[in-house]
Amino acid sequence: MFHLKEVSYLNKKHQSYHGYPFSIPLISSFEKITFDSPITILVGENGTGKSTLLEAIACAIGSIAIGDTDINTDREFEYARKLSKYLNLSWSVKTNKGFFLRAEDFINYMRKLHEIRMDMEQELQEIDNRYTGRTLHAHSLARMPYARSLNEMDNMYNGGLESKSHGESFLEFFSSRFIPNGLYILDEPETPLSPMNQFAFMAMIKEMIKQNSQFIIATHSPIIMAHPDASIYDLNSLPIKKTVYNEIESVKFFRSFLNNPQGFIRHL
């Protein structure tokens, strides 16, 4: 069973907004998209509007965004919120679990975690200096809230995300945040991941699908596109339509390049 069954575009002839994002060819030709698989993948070149559509869907759902971003108030989501007012969602069983994540939001989230850790470690150092000569009990009480918070950060992410590589921390983050029965909307999750870690990410998604989770992913990764449970929509040709893996233009390009890289490089 899939939580979200369909997203359709309403009142196109009577919408009160004009210009961007309604002027994007993808949006002006958009009718609906049906979700008939546990994982739906949107493919398309830069500028096709796939991120705009994904953000609007997340706004219409009311998804929780990772990091400091609030899709309900942040100005960078203003266009997505306008578009979301004209999207109709059809559910099998609505879920409030899951989240919306863009690759840049994860980077900002990591930066924020690092700042929090640095602030708490600095505060602990200052407490150690201030409480020199005081009783051990008073010293321990002063340290307790900061030490507890650092310990909780380490336990949540199996030792702390900041101590791992970018790709490792991304996988650890998802492993910690995934919960059953969730709806996860991901924009280019491959950005921090090596090819091997992209494959590990696919295995993680497969396990979450077994726990009744649903994924809508915009990606350029031919590895993630190959997920066996995926329905793939091609946003390069309008109106959007379903496609199969071997017909995706970027997959054809990667295959041709890997088969004959020198044939491409000599034209640089």
Side-chain angles (χ1 to χ4, degrees):
M1 179 185 67
F2 319 120
H3 302 288
L4 185 61
K5 296 193 302 181
E6 183 179 277
V7 172
S8 55
Y9 192 9
L10 300 178
N11 301 320
K12 293 176 65 175
K13 295 181 180 179
H14 306 289
Q15 65 190 30
S16 58
Y17 296 106
H18 302 282
Y20 189 87
F22 303 99
S23 58
I24 299 175
L26 167 65
I27 303 304
S28 60
S29 67
F30 182 68
E31 295 290 343
K32 67 178 181 179
I33 183 169
T34 301
F35 305 105
D36 55 7
S37 298
I39 173 172
T40 301
I41 292 180
L42 308 181
V43 301
E45 290 299 318
N46 294 330
T48 55
K50 61 183 183 298
S51 291
T52 300
L53 178 59
L54 204 68
E55 290 172 2
I57 293 173
C59 288
I61 292 170
S63 297
I64 296 173
I66 296 300
D68 293 331
T69 303
D70 186 344
I71 62 176
N72 296 310
T73 58
D74 282 7
R75 292 191 65 184
E76 63 180 302
F77 287 96
E78 180 179 354
Y79 294 124
R81 288 194 295 271
K82 287 182 179 180
L83 177 57
S84 71
K85 295 179 181 178
Y86 295 93
L87 298 181
N88 182 61
L89 310 181
S90 177
W91 298 88
S92 293
V93 177
K94 189 171 184 179
T95 178
N96 294 319
K97 299 177 180 179
F99 53 76
F100 166 65
L101 178 67
R102 303 174 299 178
E104 60 264 35
D105 293 331
F106 176 73
I107 294 172
N108 292 334
Y109 180 72
M110 286 290 295
R111 185 180 297 114
K112 185 66 174 179
L113 281 183
H114 178 70
E115 292 174 355
I116 291 172
R117 178 178 291 276
M118 294 296 291
D119 287 345
M120 287 193 290
E121 289 179 348
Q122 180 178 347
E123 187 63 31
L124 285 174
Q125 183 62 51
E126 291 176 359
I127 288 172
D128 290 343
N129 294 335
R130 290 199 306 268
Y131 278 74
T132 299
R134 302 278 294 274
T135 66
L136 179 61
H137 180 66
H139 190 184
S140 298
L141 285 177
R143 287 179 55 90
M144 185 178 299
Y146 302 100
R148 180 186 293 126
S149 294
L150 285 171
N151 186 60
E152 289 173 352
M153 287 176 63
D154 290 341
N155 289 338
M156 178 180 290
Y157 295 118
N158 194 26
L161 293 181
E162 314 93 285
S163 63
K164 306 179 190 308
S165 71
H166 200 175
E168 289 173 332
S169 63
F170 191 83
L171 292 177
E172 184 63 46
F173 168 84
F174 272 97
S175 177
S176 300
R177 288 297 190 99
F178 274 153
I179 56 176
N181 300 304
L183 174 55
Y184 299 91
I185 302 177
L186 313 176
D187 192 7
E188 300 184 13
E190 71 274 11
T191 301
L193 299 175
S194 69
M196 290 296 292
N197 277 336
Q198 289 179 39
F199 193 78
F201 181 64
M202 286 177 62
M204 192 180 299
I205 289 176
K206 190 173 182 65
E207 287 303 309
M208 289 305 300
I209 287 173
K210 292 178 182 178
Q211 300 179 57
N212 201 34
S213 289
Q214 181 180 0
F215 295 84
I216 305 172
I217 303 175
T219 182
H220 293 290
S221 167
I223 296 175
I224 294 176
M225 293 175 193
H227 199 290
D229 298 309
S231 287
I232 305 172
Y233 281 89
D234 184 0
L235 277 60
N236 286 313
S237 58
L238 302 176
I240 65 174
K241 61 180 181 180
K242 276 190 177 182
T243 189
V244 295
Y245 182 75
N246 288 327
E247 294 300 317
I248 300 172
E249 286 300 320
S250 58
V251 171
K252 293 179 181 179
F253 174 83
F254 272 109
R255 183 178 291 118
S256 297
F257 181 85
L258 292 174
N259 285 337
N260 183 24
Q262 293 303 320
F264 284 84
I265 291 173
R266 70 167 179 262
H267 294 294
L268 292 177

